[in-house]
Amino acid sequence: MQLKNVCLKFSTFLCLICCAFSQSNFNNEAYLNKSLNEITWLTAHNSHLNVFDNVVLEIASNQNLSLDKQLYYGVRGFMLDIDLLQCSKLRSLFGSCSCEGVCLCHGSCSKSHDNIKDGFLVKKLEYALKKFVKFLNKNPNEIITLFLENYVADTKILQNVFDRVKHFNQLVFNPYSPEWDVLRKGWPKIKEMIASNKRILIFDDEKKADHAGKAPGFIRSRDFLLENHFGWHNDFIDVNLSNFKQIKNLYNSSSIKMEISRCVSLHRTMGQLNWSENKTLDLNFREHENSLLNSEKMFLFHHYYGVSAKSIFIDSLTVKLMNTPEFVNERLKRRCNPGINGKKPNYIALDFINENTYKDLILPFNI
Ligand SMILES: *[C@@H]1O[C@H](CO)[C@@H](O)[C@H](O)[C@H]1NC(C)=O
Ligand SMILES: *[C@@H]1O[C@H](CO)[C@@H](O)[C@H](O)[C@H]1NC(C)=O
Ligand SMILES: *[C@@H]1O[C@H](CO)[C@@H](O)[C@H](O)[C@H]1NC(C)=O
Ligand SMILES: *[C@@H]1O[C@H](CO)[C@@H](O)[C@H](O)[C@H]1NC(C)=O
Ligand SMILES: *[C@@H]1O[C@H](CO)[C@@H](O)[C@H](O)[C@H]1NC(C)=O
Ligand SMILES: *[C@@H]1O[C@H](CO)[C@@H](O)[C@H](O)[C@H]1NC(C)=O
């Protein structure tokens, strides 16, 4: 893939969302000269839960493109749920256990995987990692970020998986290493990461254990990221559709009542990270010595319903509307900005990333 294509796409996405770049001044050098935290990356929520990879029923999936196609579509952030799956002898005997070891599940699945929730052909973590490595080897200017919802308690088991994937470890960016020391030096530029070939970031939510520092590359999410809660809160407001260029023709009225959820911090148990529309985040605050200043943290914007069974709960038009840059922007402006102090998102996480009316905006490349 040509870097130029990706950059142009990012730039269009960015222009609409945060006006960080304009199409005319965006070029390779501008991209390479940016710091990692100055870019907005398209991110797929539960990227493995699609009918192709984990073979999830369509009504239970979060994505409608395979991981391979997501890559070519421009997705650079991948949210993956992982757990250590141990199959019973009985299940193994009857072949009803498609994955054993560190597997890509939907949430936790340590005892057994569930066909409806996790898919009929649950894949190993390696399966996805190999795809990312292959892509990065082919595209030397690209960077990929993983967000792990991580139910694995033993760091060593994870490290063993990484060790088995050829070239994976050497691509992992370790922000805690003396060389990068992001806590003191801030995020590096894209070109610096490319020059040293450190092009995979691994954010870990530590559901079961604290892996940061125990294996190179695990980044403790809450110390480096701001995140809004992914839950929606039944917050319906009137949305004026007249500015929604391509979507408005799909509706019969100029304004609709639409659920457009408030933004509250995901890390609500952390006193100072407890931002909401009633409590503005203090950008100059540092939670503790191993955490970035809030202003330097990247912002992972969760923007999906988080429920499966899309065709039951959420109609396709609603998903299309949600995924428009206008809607993303509207929610950021009206709902998130008061709490997160106007911080721009670095990762925009969506369900059904290809469900949008902007075929020219997020075009699949030579699939
Ligand atoms: C690169 O970024 C720095 C700021 O980090 C800026 O001073 C410089 O002009 C930029 N160079 C180019 C070629 O854009
Ligand atoms: C997934 O894509 C296929 C083919 O484009 C389409 O027929 C189907 O409706 C899509 N499903 C969802 C859930 O978007
Ligand atoms: C919707 O937005 C358009 C364009 O900004 C404006 O002209 C119109 O008055 C708005 N409608 C309502 C009901 O606010
Ligand atoms: C718009 O109106 C047409 C005709 O009445 C109807 O078939 C369609 O479902 C409506 N669309 C929406 C989004 O309500
Ligand atoms: C966070 O804010 C919520 C709502 O404002 C409040 O109920 C909760 O007690 C707060 N938690 C902490 C740790 O301050
Ligand atoms: C913010 O305050 C309003 C009005 O008091 C209240 O309805 C809402 O629940 C509060 N939000 C949070 C996140 O606590």
Side-chain angles (χ1 to χ4, degrees):
M1 184 197 309
Q2 292 296 305
L3 172 68
K4 195 166 155 259
N5 287 345
V6 180
C7 292
L8 284 177
K9 181 163 45 47
F10 278 136
S11 78
T12 319
F13 204 62
L14 280 165
C15 282
L16 289 162
I17 286 167
C18 47
C19 300
F21 298 115
S22 80
Q23 187 95 40
S24 57
N25 71 13
F26 198 89
N27 57 48
N28 289 358
E29 181 51 34
Y31 164 74
L32 298 169
N33 195 37
K34 291 282 173 204
S35 295
L36 184 75
N37 62 338
E38 291 177 308
I39 292 190
T40 301
W41 310 88
L42 181 59
T43 300
H45 169 236
N46 285 346
S47 51
H48 55 297
L49 296 178
N50 59 66
V51 301
F52 309 97
D53 294 306
N54 265 29
V55 191
V56 181
L57 287 177
E58 200 182 304
I59 58 158
S61 54
N62 292 99
Q63 298 297 336
N64 197 20
L65 291 179
S66 65
L67 287 166
D68 282 327
K69 287 198 176 174
Q70 288 171 38
L71 280 163
Y72 283 97
Y73 206 81
V75 173
R76 294 295 174 271
F78 293 86
M79 295 172 71
L80 302 166
D81 301 352
I82 56 170
D83 201 352
L84 183 61
L85 180 51
Q86 286 153 327
C87 295
S88 66
K89 285 219 170 65
L90 199 65
R91 277 186 81 118
S92 300
L93 196 66
F94 286 101
S96 69
C97 199
S98 59
C99 185
E100 201 156 18
V102 180
C103 300
L104 298 166
C105 292
H106 190 180
S108 174
C109 67
S110 41
K111 299 236 160 46
S112 70
H113 70 73
D114 174 280
N115 288 345
I116 304 299
K117 174 174 79 69
D118 305 305
F120 288 87
L121 269 179
V122 170
K123 298 293 193 294
K124 289 190 175 198
L125 173 59
E126 279 127 289
Y127 168 88
L129 300 185
K130 279 180 188 155
K131 289 183 184 300
F132 301 142
V133 168
K134 189 172 161 203
F135 178 85
L136 290 175
N137 284 343
K138 267 198 199 152
N139 299 279
N141 284 350
E142 299 276 2
I143 287 170
I144 284 178
T145 304
L146 310 182
F147 297 97
L148 300 179
E149 184 176 317
N150 190 350
Y151 297 92
V152 182
D154 188 342
T155 313
K156 210 163 168 89
I157 289 176
L158 290 165
Q159 188 58 59
N160 288 344
V161 174
F162 295 167
D163 292 347
R164 281 200 298 273
V165 178
K166 219 171 148 195
H167 300 142
F168 183 80
N169 287 325
Q170 68 202 60
L171 282 162
V172 171
F173 174 81
N174 182 0
Y176 303 98
S177 69
E179 182 195 358
W180 298 104
D181 194 11
V182 170
L183 287 169
R184 263 146 224 98
K185 299 181 190 164
W187 294 103
K189 292 198 173 212
I190 300 294
K191 62 182 169 196
E192 295 170 319
M193 295 176 70
I194 290 170
S196 58
N197 202 27
K198 298 296 182 197
R199 297 184 289 127
I200 294 181
L201 290 104
I202 311 170
F203 285 100
D204 180 37
D205 75 348
E206 306 173 297
K207 280 274 186 294
K208 281 284 163 66
D210 178 356
H211 299 290
K214 294 187 198 139
F218 277 106
I219 307 172
R220 189 180 293 113
S221 293
R222 64 188 152 84
D223 291 344
F224 283 76
L225 279 184
L226 297 166
E227 297 178 62
N228 61 306
H229 200 289
F230 46 81
W232 284 55
H233 312 276
N234 280 317
D235 302 316
F236 286 85
I237 56 175
D238 289 316
V239 176
N240 182 348
L241 291 174
S242 58
N243 301 320
F244 285 51
K245 284 183 222 109
Q246 299 186 40
I247 201 104
K248 66 179 178 199
N249 299 329
L250 302 173
Y251 288 90
N252 296 327
S253 55
S254 59
S255 152
I256 53 160
K257 244 197 166 37
M258 173 78 194
E259 187 177 9
I260 177 166
S261 185
R262 290 175 288 158
C263 268
V264 299
S265 172
L266 181 67
H267 308 281
R268 297 187 76 182
T269 50
M270 315 289 294
Q272 292 294 329
L273 292 180
N274 193 14
W275 51 270
S276 73
E277 69 267 30
N278 298 333
K279 184 165 183 279
T280 304
L281 177 79
D282 179 358
L283 290 176
N284 293 316
F285 186 78
R286 191 189 298 275
E287 186 78 12
H288 54 83
E289 62 171 345
N290 287 321
S291 122
L292 280 172
L293 207 61
N294 282 341
S295 62
E296 288 171 13
K297 286 178 181 167
M298 292 207 274
F299 171 22
L300 165 57
F301 181 41
H302 297 271
H303 184 68
Y304 47 82
Y305 272 102
V307 291
S308 308
K310 171 192 154 191
S311 42
I312 297 172
F313 296 117
I314 313 165
D315 63 282
S316 137
L317 191 54
T318 303
V319 175
K320 278 195 177 74
L321 177 65
M322 266 184 82
N323 287 359
T324 58
E326 287 90 343
F327 191 89
V328 170
N329 214 6
E330 185 94 356
R331 183 169 174 221
L332 284 168
K333 198 172 71 191
R334 287 173 70 165
R335 299 303 212 180
C336 303
N337 280 359
I340 205 159
N341 219 339
K343 231 176 135 52
K344 305 283 181 256
N346 298 98
Y347 297 94
I348 298 179
L350 306 175
D351 273 341
F352 304 104
I353 48 120
N354 57 320
E355 283 277 354
N356 61 72
T357 50
Y358 287 78
K359 295 296 182 209
D360 53 339
L361 173 67
I362 307 174
L363 252 183
F365 301 100
N366 48 40
I367 288 172

